[in-house]
Amino acid sequence: MAPTPPEQAEAVLTRSPSLAPLLARGALLSPFRRPDPAAAHPRTRLVLPGLRPDPARLAAYARVCGFPAAADTLPATYPHVLGFPLAMRLMSARDFPLPLLGLVHTSIGITRHRVTPSAAFYDLTVYVDSLAPHRRGTEAAVVTELRAGDAVVWESRSTYLARHRTTSSKEPARTEEPELPAVEEWRLPGDLGRRYGAASGDRNPIHLHPLTARLFGFPRAIAHGMWTVARCLAAHGVPDAAEVRAEFRAPVLLPGTVTYAADGGRFALRDGRGRVHLTGEVTSL
């Protein structure tokens, strides 16, 4: 295992944390948060050694995301699911300065260095890497690493945005690339959020039911962002060694219809009016 930086403590866990109490704790503490990019953040690296993915949960995840059910390799997005409870433990802790309620997953970058067998044992590490100013608030970067022996075989960096007033009044111009050609149209059922939540453990109320989603300002339940990128990657394909970059642009309302578009390594998800929900790219290493 790589040495721990001197400014970070390491906490070794014996099991994956339960998500429900972490969500509850984060919700209770959210009103007391004062997001600031200069604030201190957790310096603990959480480590879960000797983890072997559960075959039943992995099969359920593959079904709901469109990956081959009998594959002997972890889907490119699945280590994020394994690390999510550890990330939630950090983001629901008292020393995390951003409110968990309303936190928006804005992007993910994944590097898979080599094939990751589904039946192997891994050491999982998660830590908060940094806080940074964003034009709409403060963004936290969370890093997840999957090790086999001493080698990092998979790693990701996710950014999460807490929206609040900032001194920046202008939106930077976004460089729009040519629209990708449509490949498939997907009709998404109203219970997709509940099905993905059952498979992944992420039962955030904005994804589960229209009534709970309305409490947070959405007219209907919305699809998990990580489902959208997983579903696109299941359709696109990912080499054994690859980099994946994805940006979450707009929520997908459930039920609904979306268009998967792709060209070369690039992919996107958009609605019938051309509104882009997700953009991404796969690069072979």
Side-chain angles (χ1 to χ4, degrees):
M1 190 175 290
T4 302
E7 71 275 8
Q8 290 186 322
E10 186 176 280
V12 179
L13 308 181
T14 58
R15 59 184 177 85
S16 185
S18 176
L19 275 171
L22 296 177
L23 283 167
R25 182 174 71 180
L28 289 172
L29 292 175
S30 287
F32 305 100
R33 307 293 198 201
R34 297 294 179 266
D36 182 343
H41 61 79
R43 297 291 179 175
T44 302
R45 295 167 65 97
L46 297 181
V47 180
L48 181 61
L51 173 67
R52 185 179 185 182
D54 178 79
R57 291 194 64 182
L58 178 56
Y61 177 86
R63 281 194 301 272
V64 76
C65 295
F67 292 105
D72 55 6
T73 299
L74 295 177
T77 48
Y78 196 67
H80 173 88
V81 173
L82 298 175
F84 188 65
L86 281 68
M88 286 297 301
R89 176 162 165 170
L90 291 171
M91 291 192 289
S92 64
R94 291 186 178 277
D95 57 349
F96 186 70
L98 308 185
L100 194 60
L101 288 181
L103 206 61
V104 179
H105 196 180
T106 51
S107 73
I108 186 168
I110 294 171
T111 302
R112 185 164 67 182
H113 298 280
R114 68 186 196 209
V115 66
T116 49
S118 57
F121 287 88
Y122 299 98
D123 293 338
L124 187 66
T125 300
V126 180
Y127 60 93
V128 179
D129 185 52
S130 62
L131 297 182
H134 185 278
R135 67 185 184 277
R136 294 182 179 175
T138 298
E139 205 166 52
V142 178
V143 172
T144 302
E145 298 171 344
L146 200 67
R147 285 182 170 81
D150 292 331
V152 176
V153 295
W154 182 101
E155 57 189 314
S156 74
R157 181 183 177 90
S158 280
T159 55
Y160 297 91
L161 173 66
R163 287 180 281 202
H164 59 85
R165 289 175 182 251
T166 69
T167 55
S168 175
S169 59
K170 283 178 137 189
E171 290 265 345
R174 189 192 293 270
T175 302
E176 295 293 343
E177 297 183 350
E179 187 175 273
L180 298 177
V183 177
E184 296 177 341
E185 186 176 87
W186 299 334
R187 296 183 184 277
L188 311 183
D191 68 346
L192 177 61
R194 294 190 290 277
R195 291 169 51 209
Y196 181 84
S200 68
D202 182 359
R203 292 183 172 88
N204 187 317
I206 63 175
H207 305 300
L208 303 182
H209 194 275
L211 291 177
T212 53
R214 285 187 198 116
L215 296 175
F216 298 91
F218 296 99
R220 304 196 301 274
I222 64 172
H224 293 73
M226 283 306 299
W227 178 88
T228 65
V229 69
R231 183 66 186 89
C232 287
L233 293 178
H236 187 281
V238 182
D240 289 342
E243 286 188 351
V244 175
R245 298 288 179 266
E247 180 184 353
F248 304 107
R249 302 266 292 267
V252 175
L253 296 175
L254 300 173
T257 301
V258 292
T259 298
Y260 165 67
D263 184 30
R266 295 167 53 223
F267 61 89
L269 202 64
R270 60 179 184 257
D271 65 14
R273 297 172 295 175
R275 186 189 192 198
V276 177
H277 299 289
L278 170 78
T279 60
E281 186 170 9
V282 178
T283 306
S284 181
L285 296 180

